[in-house]
């Protein structure tokens, strides 16, 4: 989660190694790939600040005899944007909290309040990322302004910028058109003086309408230069910003040019050929203008996303050609009910969208309801039959909080999709306002546990298989089995979301692990009987690692599936190993005695990963996926990965690198001597063991 927000780089100053490890484990279990360093001295802290880029400092006051204020002073001295979060076992009081904030701490959180700490960390990281993005955007803005200024000065079109009716800038073509030598001659001059007296009344009326609408517009009139000579011209007005001031851009072309033809071509390009409504490209441009107006001027409005319900069924019933008749009928019905300023557009085969400015949520929903009813009452004649249709409409508000037009449209689309989830609207024919999701509470333990228990009883869990490729050459096929819990909406919940949850009982987690082992070994045995020399990596939860009977049970399960003992590798992650080192040591030793190999996953992010590894009899080590994500982007991470792999190979561990997404990553990893790679570049998880290893 640094620059690319994938990996959180964390500096810790804690009184005990255990406290530091608990924070790292908490962050990783919440889904944050975390790389941490425990500060040993003030000099070490300064060195880390100077050598690497960090995202967050979490410190206990006076840990390692270091005053936290000294950390803050060094952050300020080196001009780092680095939030410092204080945590303590002591009871907080208002005075100490206020003092810490005044001295620069982001906040103070009790060490025992892990949920509060997690929320605070997420908030501080969000603010940090926003500040970084703002700085990057400022750089890009300066670059864009330089390019725009260069294009403006070299443009053959006459371009001027007007604020409160006065010139604030004009390019060389503009100066030459009106016969002036420099911009200084025009500064403060009213644009009215550039229009012949015969056209000034019409010009005033046009300007008044333009200022009210604040939308681009053209005016054909007669211009007059500095010597009084008259000429015909077309003035194109559009909102703009110049020198951080909101103003109007005026582009002037002679009427002898092709502006009328260009206008006609532009009109054609912006229209949908079937319905003659505006198309998606035009709609998106208008949505950008609406969002800009909301952000810069506080305007409000709403986007409407209208989807014809069950359109594929309609096409099947009446035919593809006749389905166009339905689309046109809906388009006409909408067009008759909406003003031109709504920019009604067809943005998909069966999707319409429009914008209403100056409306609030209630008014928008009322408008959507009226349109929904209008369409539902349509009787559409097709040959000798009549058909009816319904629609699902999603509404998303445009406010000063809006920033990205694509987000607004996506929200309206999401609201439209969710109509079918509303009671009584399973087939659509409804309207729905997009409401940003509230902060999610933890999933209710009892209900979710019942769902898991039911899935276990009905065998409704799903197993997926992802191949691992041996970069050093090996005839053995390797897969990892991945557990999923199917949901009614078609989505899957990954195993990590429930096997890492404290709300699910340890007993149920153990049963789920055993279910995975039984069904995986059964499928593996059947696959090997077809002539495949296949080895399977099977994940275990922390609950199973403390099960003294598991090692013996695994041996029995392998025998029952008629599998050789090396055909299955049982793996657990580094976080669990750190918290349950004694149990993991005993478990790996028990399996080793039975000839069953083990693997350690998500390796390399603990404060002292190799210290843990010394106590574990594992044959395979899978490094944390965050290293792969930073490969080729972060030199420090690549160097760290290289050193870590070298040390693992010295200890004769077989290494696996996950999340490989590109050929360039494969080339880098091959040079580093990695044994196995895994990721979507090889193959995404599949419902069967279908990868063709012969192609490798």
């Amino acid at each position: 989660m640094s620059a690319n927000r994938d990996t959180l780089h964390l500096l810790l100053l804690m009184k005990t190694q255990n406290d530091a490890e608990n924070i790292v484990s908490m962050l990783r279990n919440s889904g944050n790939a975390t790389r941490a360093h425990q500060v040993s001295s003030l000099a070490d802290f300064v060195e880390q600040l100077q050598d690497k880029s960090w995202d967050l400092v979490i410190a206990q006051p006076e840990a390692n005899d270091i005053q936290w204020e000294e950390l803050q002073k060094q952050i300020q001295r080196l001009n780092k944007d680095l939030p410092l979060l204080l945590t303590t076992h002591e009871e907080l009081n208002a005075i100490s909290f206020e003092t810490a904030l005044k001295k620069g701490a982001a906040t103070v959180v009790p060490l025992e309040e892990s949920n509060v700490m997690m929320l605070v960390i997420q908030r501080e990281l969000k603010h940090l990322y926003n500040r970084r993005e703002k700085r990057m955007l400022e750089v890009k803005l300066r670059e864009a302004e330089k390019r725009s200024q260069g294009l403006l000065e070299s443009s053959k079109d006459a371009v001027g910028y007007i604020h409160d009716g006065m010139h604030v800038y004009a390019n060389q073509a503009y100066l030459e058109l009106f016969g002036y030598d420099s911009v200084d001659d025009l500064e403060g001059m009213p644009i009215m003086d550039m229009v012949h007296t015969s056209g000034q009344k019409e010009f005033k009326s046009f300007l008044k309408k333009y200022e009210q609408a604040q939308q681009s517009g053209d005016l054909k009139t007669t211009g007059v230069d500095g010597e009084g000579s008259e000429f015909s011209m077309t003035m194109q007005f559009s909102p703009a910003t110049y020198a951080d001031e909101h103003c109007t851009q005026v582009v002037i072309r002679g009427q002898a040019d092709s502006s009328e033809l260009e206008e006609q071509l532009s009109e054609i390009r912006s229209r949908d050929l079937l319905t003659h409504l505006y198309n998606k490209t035009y709609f998106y441009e208008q949505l950008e203008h609406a969002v800009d107006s909301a952000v810069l001027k506080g305007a409000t409005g709403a986007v409407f996303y209208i989807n014809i319900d069950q359109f594929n069924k309609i096409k099947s019933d009446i035919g593809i050609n006749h389905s166009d008749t339905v689309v046109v009928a809906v388009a006409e019905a909408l067009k008759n009910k909406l003003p031109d300023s709504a920019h009604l557009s067809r943005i998909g085969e069966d999707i319409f969208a429009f914008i209403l400015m100056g409306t609030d949520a209630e008014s928008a929903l009322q408008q959507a309801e009226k349109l929904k009813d209008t369409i539902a009452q349509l009787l559409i004649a097709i040959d000798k039959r009549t058909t009816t249709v319904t629609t699902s409409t999603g509404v998303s508000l445009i406010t000063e909080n809006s920033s990205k037009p694509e987000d607004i449209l996506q929200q309206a689309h999401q609201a439209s999709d969710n109509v079918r989830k509303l009671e009584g609207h399973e087939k659509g024919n409804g309207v729905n306002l997009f409401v940003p999701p509230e902060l999610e509470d933890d999933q209710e333990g009892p209900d979710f546990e019942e769902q898991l228990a039911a899935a276990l009883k009905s065998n409704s869990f799903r197993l997926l298989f992802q191949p691992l490729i041996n970069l050093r050459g090996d005839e053995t096929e390797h897969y990892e089995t991945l557990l999923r819990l199917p949901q009614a909406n078609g989505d899957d919940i990954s195993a990590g979301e429930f096997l890492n949850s404290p709300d699910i009982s340890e007993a149920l987690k153990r049963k789920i692990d055993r279910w995975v082992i039984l069904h995986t070994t059964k499928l593996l045995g059947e696959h090997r009987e077809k002539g495949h020399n296949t080895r399977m990596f099977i994940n275990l939860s922390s609950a199973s690692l403390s099960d003294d009977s598991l090692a013996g049970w695994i041996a029995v399960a392998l025998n029952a599936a008629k599998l050789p003992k090396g055909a299955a590798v049982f793996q657990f992650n580094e976080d669990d190993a750190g918290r349950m080192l004694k149990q993991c040591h005993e478990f790996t030793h028990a399996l080793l005695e039975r000839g069953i190999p083990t693997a350690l996953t998500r390796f390399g992010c603990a404060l002292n990963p190799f210290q843990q590894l010394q106590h574990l009899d594992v044959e395979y080590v899978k490094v944390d996926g965050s290293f792969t994500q930073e490969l080729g982007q972060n030199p420090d991470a690549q160097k760290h990965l290289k050193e870590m792999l070298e040390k693992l190979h010295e200890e004769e561990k077989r290494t696996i690198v996950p999340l490989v997404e590109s050929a360039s990553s494969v080339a880098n990893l091959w040079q580093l001597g990695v044994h196995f790679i895994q990721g979507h570049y090889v193959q995404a998880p599949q419902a069967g063991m279908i990868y063709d290893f012969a192609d490798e």
Side-chain angles (χ1 to χ4, degrees):
M1 280 192 189
S2 54
N4 60 6
R5 300 194 183 188
D6 288 327
T7 305
L8 168 62
H9 293 271
L10 178 67
L11 282 173
L12 293 169
L13 177 62
M14 309 300 291
K15 293 182 178 179
T16 68
Q17 182 80 6
N18 188 52
D19 285 341
E21 291 283 6
N22 285 341
I23 290 176
V24 174
S25 180
M26 174 191 69
L27 288 165
R28 294 182 68 184
N29 287 335
S30 68
N32 297 318
T34 305
R35 208 78 51 73
H37 174 79
Q38 169 79 317
V39 174
S40 59
S41 64
L42 187 59
D44 176 39
F45 181 74
V46 173
E47 182 181 351
Q48 294 297 325
L49 288 184
Q50 292 174 328
D51 290 349
K52 298 178 183 178
S53 177
W54 300 93
D55 300 314
L56 184 67
V57 180
I58 300 179
Q60 283 182 282
E62 300 182 9
N64 293 349
D65 296 324
I66 303 172
Q67 299 290 332
W68 74 265
E69 292 90 345
E70 289 297 321
L71 302 183
Q72 185 64 27
K73 287 179 182 178
Q74 294 302 323
I75 292 172
Q76 293 173 338
R77 185 177 72 86
L78 297 174
N79 195 27
K80 297 289 184 178
D81 184 3
L82 184 60
L84 190 154
L85 189 154
L86 293 179
T87 184
T88 177
H89 286 292
E90 299 174 5
E91 186 176 347
L92 294 178
N93 59 68
I95 295 176
S96 60
F97 185 76
E98 180 184 353
T99 301
L101 294 182
K102 285 182 176 179
K103 291 183 177 180
T107 191
V108 186
V109 182
L111 194 56
E112 292 77 13
E113 298 291 340
S114 58
N115 290 338
V116 175
M117 181 178 289
M118 195 66 240
L119 291 171
V120 168
I121 289 173
Q122 290 171 344
R123 181 196 67 191
E124 291 303 319
L125 290 176
K126 181 180 179 181
H127 293 170
L128 175 67
Y129 297 150
N130 286 340
R131 292 194 299 272
R132 288 177 178 172
E133 187 172 14
K134 177 176 177 289
R135 290 193 290 268
M136 292 175 63
L137 290 174
E138 286 173 346
V139 171
K140 291 179 180 179
L141 177 61
R142 287 195 295 270
E143 293 173 351
E145 286 176 339
K146 289 178 183 178
R147 289 195 299 270
S148 297
Q149 187 67 29
L151 292 170
L152 193 60
E153 291 171 355
S154 61
S155 173
K156 294 181 181 180
D157 290 329
V159 183
Y161 286 90
I162 312 301
H163 182 65
D164 290 338
M166 302 293 183
H167 288 87
V168 293
Y169 172 82
N171 69 354
Q172 188 61 36
Y174 192 99
L175 295 174
E176 291 174 358
L177 179 64
F178 289 101
Y180 292 92
D181 295 328
S182 70
V183 178
D184 294 338
D185 297 334
L186 274 180
E187 282 187 0
M189 181 179 291
I191 191 172
M192 186 71 71
D193 292 355
M194 316 316 252
V195 179
H196 192 266
T197 53
S198 62
Q200 288 186 357
K201 183 177 181 180
E202 181 186 9
F203 184 69
K204 287 180 181 178
S205 176
F206 173 85
L207 276 184
K208 185 176 181 181
K209 292 179 181 178
Y210 168 79
E211 289 172 358
Q212 290 174 346
Q214 282 296 301
Q215 291 184 350
S216 301
D218 296 355
L219 175 68
K220 294 180 180 179
T221 187
T222 302
V224 58
D225 62 20
E227 297 179 355
S229 299
E230 302 174 18
F231 59 92
S232 297
M233 65 179 181
T234 299
M235 307 179 77
Q236 298 177 339
F237 291 77
S238 58
T241 301
Y242 187 82
D244 297 329
E245 290 283 348
H246 297 305
C247 58
T248 300
Q249 176 183 274
V250 181
V251 180
I252 299 177
R253 293 189 175 96
Q255 290 186 7
D257 63 18
S258 59
S259 59
E260 187 172 340
L261 177 60
E262 289 178 5
E263 185 176 339
Q264 293 174 355
L265 290 173
S266 177
E267 176 71 11
I268 293 172
R269 285 194 296 267
S270 67
R271 292 290 179 177
D272 172 60
L273 296 179
L274 177 64
T275 62
H276 302 296
L277 300 179
Y278 292 114
N279 58 25
K280 185 176 182 178
T281 301
Y282 176 87
F283 177 79
Y284 197 80
E285 290 174 355
Q286 300 310 310
L287 181 56
E288 286 180 333
H289 294 323
V291 171
D292 291 348
S293 180
V295 173
L296 298 175
K297 301 175 183 178
T300 59
V303 171
F304 297 73
Y305 184 102
I306 302 175
N307 192 2
I308 299 176
D309 294 322
Q310 299 179 300
F311 191 67
N312 286 333
K313 184 176 184 299
I314 292 172
K315 287 195 293 184
S316 299
D317 290 345
I318 65 177
I320 294 176
N321 291 336
H322 291 313
S323 67
D324 287 347
T325 304
V326 172
V327 171
V328 172
V330 173
E332 287 297 322
L334 292 171
K335 186 177 180 180
N336 292 335
K337 294 292 184 179
L338 293 170
D340 292 340
S341 59
H343 307 295
L344 176 63
S345 307
R346 183 187 180 212
I347 64 173
E349 182 184 24
D350 55 343
I351 301 167
F352 303 90
F354 64 91
I355 304 166
L356 287 182
M357 297 303 292
T359 188
D360 57 22
E362 292 304 319
S363 300
L365 288 174
Q366 290 173 9
Q367 177 70 47
E369 287 282 358
K370 290 177 183 177
L371 293 174
K372 179 208 70 173
D373 293 341
T374 297
I375 295 170
Q377 293 167 11
L378 286 178
L379 298 176
I380 305 171
I382 297 173
D383 284 344
K384 297 180 180 181
R385 59 184 289 192
T386 302
T387 189
T388 60
V389 295
T390 60
T391 55
S392 295
T393 302
V395 179
S396 179
L397 298 179
I398 301 173
T399 68
E400 73 280 355
N401 197 38
S402 306
S403 59
K404 296 180 180 179
E406 59 267 28
D407 290 348
I408 303 296
L409 189 58
Q410 180 62 34
Q411 290 166 3
H413 163 69
Q414 184 178 334
S416 173
D417 274 356
N418 288 340
V419 166
R420 297 167 187 83
K421 298 179 182 179
L422 301 176
E423 186 176 354
H425 295 278
E426 290 76 9
K427 294 184 178 180
N429 195 29
V431 302
N432 186 34
L433 175 69
F434 174 82
V435 179
E438 298 178 2
L439 292 174
E440 295 182 3
D441 294 330
D442 289 338
Q443 203 155 14
E444 294 183 12
D447 290 345
F448 196 35
E449 178 144 350
E450 288 176 9
Q451 183 184 353
L452 291 170
L456 193 63
K457 185 176 181 180
S458 62
N459 286 327
S460 56
F461 283 112
R462 197 157 74 99
L463 292 176
L464 301 179
F465 302 92
Q466 187 171 34
L468 291 80
I469 298 302
N470 193 324
L471 297 183
R472 299 193 179 188
D474 186 351
E475 293 183 0
T476 306
E477 301 175 356
H478 294 81
Y479 286 96
E480 178 180 1
T481 183
L482 303 167
L483 179 65
R484 299 289 185 266
L485 176 63
Q487 299 295 288
N489 61 4
D491 294 336
D492 285 345
I493 298 179
S494 65
E497 294 184 50
F498 49 85
L499 291 179
N500 291 330
S501 171
D503 296 322
I504 307 303
S505 69
E506 299 289 282
L508 181 56
K509 291 177 184 177
R510 293 190 186 110
K511 289 179 182 178
I512 292 173
D513 279 345
R514 294 198 178 201
W515 184 95
V516 172
I517 295 169
L518 279 177
H519 285 75
T520 300
T521 52
K522 179 177 180 291
L523 293 172
L524 179 59
E526 294 171 354
H527 189 68
R528 288 176 64 91
E529 285 178 358
K530 297 175 183 178
H532 297 278
N533 183 16
T534 305
R535 179 176 290 129
M536 186 69 65
F537 288 83
I538 302 174
N539 292 286
L540 296 173
S541 69
S542 59
S544 291
L545 297 174
S546 59
D547 183 354
D548 295 335
S549 65
L550 182 62
W553 184 89
I554 286 175
V556 172
L558 293 177
N559 287 332
K562 299 179 181 179
L563 293 174
K565 292 178 180 177
V569 181
F570 293 87
Q571 59 186 25
F572 51 93
N573 66 56
E574 184 182 70
D575 290 326
D576 292 339
R579 290 183 291 105
M580 308 170 64
L581 192 55
K582 184 176 183 294
Q583 293 93 327
C584 290
H585 167 73
E586 293 172 352
F587 176 71
T588 56
H589 184 69
L591 286 183
L592 182 64
E593 286 182 331
R594 293 170 170 83
I596 302 171
T598 53
L600 182 64
T601 66
R602 296 177 65 183
F603 180 81
C605 291
L607 293 175
N608 294 299
F610 283 94
Q611 183 178 343
Q612 294 179 6
L613 192 60
Q614 291 175 1
H615 300 278
L616 302 172
D617 295 317
V618 296
E619 182 177 338
Y620 299 85
V621 174
K622 181 189 289 188
V623 302
D624 190 77
S626 61
F627 290 100
T628 320
Q629 292 172 322
E630 292 187 336
L631 201 63
Q633 301 177 15
N634 186 334
D636 290 334
Q638 189 163 338
K639 180 183 176 184
H640 188 181
L641 177 61
K642 181 174 184 285
E643 293 172 350
M644 186 168 62
L645 289 170
E646 287 175 349
K647 193 168 182 179
L648 287 170
H649 295 152
E650 288 174 4
E651 298 187 10
E652 299 183 345
K653 304 297 182 185
R654 307 190 77 189
T655 53
I656 306 168
V657 175
L659 301 184
V660 176
E661 309 294 337
S662 66
S664 59
S665 297
V666 176
N668 288 331
L669 295 171
W670 182 80
Q671 292 176 353
L672 295 176
V674 171
H675 291 92
F676 297 91
I677 60 169
Q678 179 183 9
H680 282 64
Y681 176 77
V682 178
Q683 188 183 67
Q686 303 291 322
M689 291 171 263
I690 60 174
Y691 185 77
D692 188 357
F693 287 87
D695 288 344
E696 296 305 317

